[in-house]
Amino acid sequence: MRFICFRDQAGLVQSGWIYEDKIGLVKGSIFDEYQRMEADIPLAEVDLLTPVQPGKIICVGRNYAAHAAEHDAEVPEYPLIFLKPPSSVIGPGETILLPPQSQQVEHEGELAVVVGKRGRWLQPDEAMKIVFGYTIANDVTARDLQRKDGQWTRGKGFDTFCPVGPWIDTDFNPVDSMLSVYVNEDLRQMAPTRDMVFPISTLLVYISSIMTLEPGDLILTGTPAGVSPLVPGDVVSVSIERLGELRNPVGKEPRR
Ligand code: MG
C-alpha cells in the first residue's frame, strides 16, 4: 500500500492512501492504529507533501563502491553514518534552495527506509521487521563545504537539502531495483540497489546498536556514482523502479 500526506482543497494537511488514481483519507497514525476511508479524491487534484516528518534522518555514506571511488575514498569497513536535521526535509515538487555559502551543491538520489517500530540492538534475523516501508530521498550536499569542514553537518544540513517522497510504499522490495537520477533531460546516476555495500538489514543492526530507532525515522541508504552540481532552474528527478519518482526544482536562496 502507498501512504501519502497532502494538502486538500481547503488547505488542510491530511494523511491518505492511494488506490489506482484516487486517494482516500487515513484517520489515525499509520505507525499505530488507523482507519482507511473510501478512496474518492482524484490524486491529480491535491498537492503531495512529504509523506513522513522524521524524528531523525540517519544517512549512510559511501554505500556504493563506485561513488566512493569517484571521490577517491575507500569503501568503509563498517557503515559510515551521519545525520541530517529534520528541518532539511521538503516534499515532492518543493524547491531545493542553493545557499549563498556554497558554490557546489550536488544531488544524491537514494532509497530511504521508513522505520515503523522502536528498535535497539536489533538482531540480524529480526531487523527487517521494524521497517514500515520505503520512499525516495535526495541527500542534497554542499560538496565544497563538506570537504572544507571535514565533518558533514553544514554541508548536508541546509534547509531544503532533504527532498522526500512522493509516498511510502509498504510492499516495495528493496533488494534489486534500478535507481536513476535525471537533471533536466540528462541521466546522471544509475545503479541497482543490489550494488549497496551494506544491505538494509546490516544497516539496521548497526544503527540500532548506537541509537534507538523510532517510528517515522528515515534511513537514507547511500547514493551511487554520478553525483553532479545543480544550478538554479534545474529540475532533479530521482526514480526507483517499482517505487516511484521524486521531482524537485532548484532555486537560489538570497543572502540576507
Ligand atoms: Mg548520501
Side-chain angles (χ1 to χ4, degrees):
M1 198 184 329
R2 286 176 171 177
F3 290 104
I4 55 169
C5 285
F6 66 99
R7 196 179 302 282
D8 69 14
Q9 285 182 318
L12 295 174
V13 174
Q14 305 273 14
S15 292
W17 65 288
I18 299 181
Y19 181 72
E20 293 173 351
D21 59 349
K22 296 268 176 50
I23 57 183
L25 294 180
V26 170
K27 301 289 186 194
S29 163
I30 56 172
F31 301 118
D32 190 8
E33 299 253 312
Y34 66 85
Q35 233 188 327
R36 280 186 290 154
M37 315 306 276
E38 189 188 344
D40 54 3
I41 308 164
L43 180 58
E45 279 180 16
V46 301
D47 286 328
L48 294 184
L49 306 171
T50 174
V52 61
Q53 292 286 352
K56 57 185 174 291
I57 305 162
I58 306 123
C59 306
V60 183
R62 299 175 194 154
N63 202 27
Y64 288 77
H67 171 63
E70 73 182 343
H71 288 154
D72 291 322
E74 300 286 320
V75 167
E77 276 172 57
Y78 48 87
L80 170 63
I81 64 169
F82 61 95
L83 296 168
K84 279 171 102 78
S87 49
S88 63
V89 171
I90 57 173
E94 281 192 77
T95 303
I96 299 165
L97 291 175
L98 309 183
Q101 296 95 323
S102 172
Q103 308 308 313
Q104 189 188 358
V105 175
E106 298 187 341
H107 55 83
E108 293 191 1
E110 308 199 7
L111 172 65
V113 180
V114 182
V115 173
K117 294 192 179 108
R118 273 176 89 88
R120 182 85 212 277
W121 289 112
L122 294 168
Q123 298 302 304
D125 60 340
E126 60 173 14
M128 295 303 282
K129 290 184 190 155
I130 74 155
V131 174
F132 178 76
Y134 298 87
T135 188
I136 304 169
N138 190 342
D139 173 21
V140 179
T141 303
R143 195 72 65 201
D144 49 354
L145 306 183
Q146 181 192 25
R147 285 212 187 90
K148 198 187 237 175
D149 290 357
Q151 60 85 32
W152 301 358
T153 303
R154 184 166 65 134
K156 299 277 192 178
F158 285 94
D159 285 5
T160 75
F161 271 27
C162 193
V164 175
W167 41 66
I168 304 170
D169 190 323
T170 58
D171 302 317
F172 176 73
N173 180 346
V175 173
D176 186 16
S177 203
M178 194 59 78
L179 184 159
S180 52
V181 178
Y182 281 82
V183 177
N184 309 319
E185 306 305 314
D186 242 27
L187 177 64
R188 302 282 174 91
Q189 299 186 268
M190 190 174 195
T193 55
R194 78 175 127 79
D195 282 1
M196 281 185 205
V197 176
F198 299 105
I200 289 164
S201 58
T202 305
L203 298 175
L204 292 168
V205 168
Y206 180 73
I207 296 166
S208 73
S209 74
I210 301 159
M211 61 187 86
T212 302
L213 289 169
E214 291 166 304
D217 285 351
L218 274 183
I219 300 169
L220 272 54
T221 57
T223 202
V227 298
S228 68
L230 298 169
V231 297
D234 282 343
V235 176
V236 196
S237 154
V238 184
S239 292
I240 298 180
E241 188 187 7
R242 300 187 307 276
L243 181 54
E245 182 194 15
L246 171 67
R247 282 171 78 84
N248 295 87
V250 178
K252 197 165 173 51
E253 186 182 23
R255 188 180 283 277
R256 277 177 265 192

